[in-house]
Each structure stands twice: as structure tokens, then as C-alpha cells.
Amino acid sequence: MDVRFCIQDPTHPETTYLYEAIIAAAVDASYWRGVYAFASRDGVDHLIEDAVVHEFMRVGGETDLLVGIDAVTNRPTLERLRELGRRNAQFRPRVFWNETHGLFHPKLSDFRYADGRRTLILGSGNLTPGGLMNNFEGYTIISVDRAEDLDVSALDEFLDRHGERIREIDDEALERAARNLISPIKGARRAS
């Protein structure tokens, strides 16, 4: 088992961005499960339009992406995710329909490989330009080979327990997300 803790520090020239860690984990993966509190259209486009992710999808890599719509994730983001899902049957974006007073706030990517390896990336960054590249963030990369076990049963149980809250991106989700605004932070760099 390899466990690495990383700080995304946009002021440091040798930082490893969360974006880079996700792209590296996607190489040779067969399955990607992402669960993120927030997403923005720019963040989704930047990640999904990467050549590695294109290749991952081209060769049949499956993706289940769950995003929260409590805040930040807006209608154009969901429209883009829905469009991507319609273009690629292997890409299944869904939303977490939260009716509690608490915020849906996880941020993780779980990659599986045909040879039994697995990589889990968890941390503070969302699928936004800030979370992927521009903000100060912390994240951990856990990699195991096929002979080792990575217990993510708590995530599986959570998703099963809240199955009725995990929904397709429908008109009701679009309407709810339309109330969320993404405000650019003055002076923030855009991910390129």
C-alpha cells in the first residue's frame, strides 16, 4: 500500500495539483467513481476534455460521477454533465438530492484497474478550477495492488443507504441548481 499526502500549493512551482493526480490515476483505469460536493462547468470541462480522460472513455472506461447540488453546482454545469452522459453511455453523472440541513460535502475519486489495483484520492478539492488547480488544497492518494485490500465499504454503504437521494440529472435537479451561483474570486487564476 502506498499512501501519499499532498498539499496543492499554487505558489510552489513543484506542486502536484489535484487535477494532475486525478489524470495520473485515470491512466489504465477501467472504472472511475467520483463523489464531489461541488462542480463547475469550467472544472468539469477542464477535467473531462483532458486527453487522458478522452482515452479512458474511448477504450470503454466506466465513470459514475455523483455531485452535490446544495451550493455552487449550477444549471450550466448539470446541463454539461447531462450532455456528456448522453454522448457516452459509459459516463453516468448523477446528483445527490439533499433534504437535510447538513451540507453534502465529500470529495473523492475511486479508480479501479483491470489487474486488480485500486487508487483512492480524497481531500478538500472540488471539481472546480479552484479545487483542481487554483486553491490551496490538501488531498491523500492511496494506492493498492491486487493482493491488497482497500476497504471502501463505508462509501458503498453510504451510497446504498442514500440510494433514493441519488438521482439522474432531471428537470427538477436543473431547476434546483439554477438557484446556485458561482462567484469568481477576484484575482484567482483560471485553470488552463
Side-chain angles (χ1 to χ4, degrees):
M1 179 178 294
D2 179 49
V3 179
R4 289 182 291 140
F5 176 71
C6 305
I7 293 287
Q8 175 175 287
D9 180 351
T11 68
H12 193 284
E14 295 180 21
T15 198
T16 300
Y17 295 98
L18 175 60
Y19 168 80
E20 295 170 320
I22 292 171
I23 294 302
V27 173
D28 295 329
S30 57
Y31 179 72
W32 173 15
R33 174 171 59 176
V35 181
Y36 287 89
F38 310 137
S40 70
R41 177 152 182 173
D42 286 346
V44 166
D45 280 344
H46 192 67
L47 193 59
I48 300 300
E49 296 300 330
D50 188 276
V52 170
V53 175
H54 269 284
E55 180 64 11
F56 166 81
M57 290 186 185
R58 188 190 69 74
V59 298
E62 295 183 49
T63 303
D64 284 309
L65 180 63
L66 179 62
V67 297
I69 54 175
D70 296 348
V72 180
T73 307
N74 62 12
R75 184 181 183 114
T77 304
L78 293 187
E79 288 171 341
R80 177 67 171 141
L81 287 169
R82 188 162 71 170
E83 171 194 335
L84 290 166
R86 287 178 176 161
R87 287 192 348 217
N88 184 339
Q90 302 291 93
F91 182 74
R92 295 175 295 273
R94 293 173 293 161
V95 297
F96 188 84
W97 193 268
N98 187 7
E99 295 176 345
T100 71
H101 294 298
L103 190 63
F104 179 75
H105 211 241
K107 300 154 194 91
L108 63 95
S109 280
D110 176 18
F111 291 92
R112 297 177 197 165
Y113 306 87
D115 64 2
R117 291 178 296 130
R118 197 159 187 180
T119 297
L120 182 66
I121 302 172
L122 19 108
S124 62
N126 279 297
L127 296 184
T128 63
L132 292 169
M133 294 186 69
N134 296 334
N135 296 343
F136 295 93
E137 303 282 358
Y139 62 93
T140 300
I141 304 168
I142 304 166
S143 301
V144 297
D145 65 28
R146 67 176 179 247
E148 298 173 302
D149 183 40
L150 181 60
D151 183 3
V152 294
S153 60
L155 174 61
D156 297 331
E157 290 167 8
F158 173 85
L159 296 174
D160 287 344
R161 191 170 49 258
H162 292 282
E164 75 274 355
R165 295 177 195 258
I166 298 170
R167 299 173 39 172
E168 301 294 321
I169 299 172
D170 58 14
D171 290 340
E172 192 175 10
L174 292 174
E175 288 175 25
R176 185 168 178 177
R179 297 189 299 257
N180 295 334
L181 300 174
I182 298 176
S183 301
I185 298 171
K186 185 177 179 179
R189 294 182 315 160
R190 290 184 54 93
S192 55

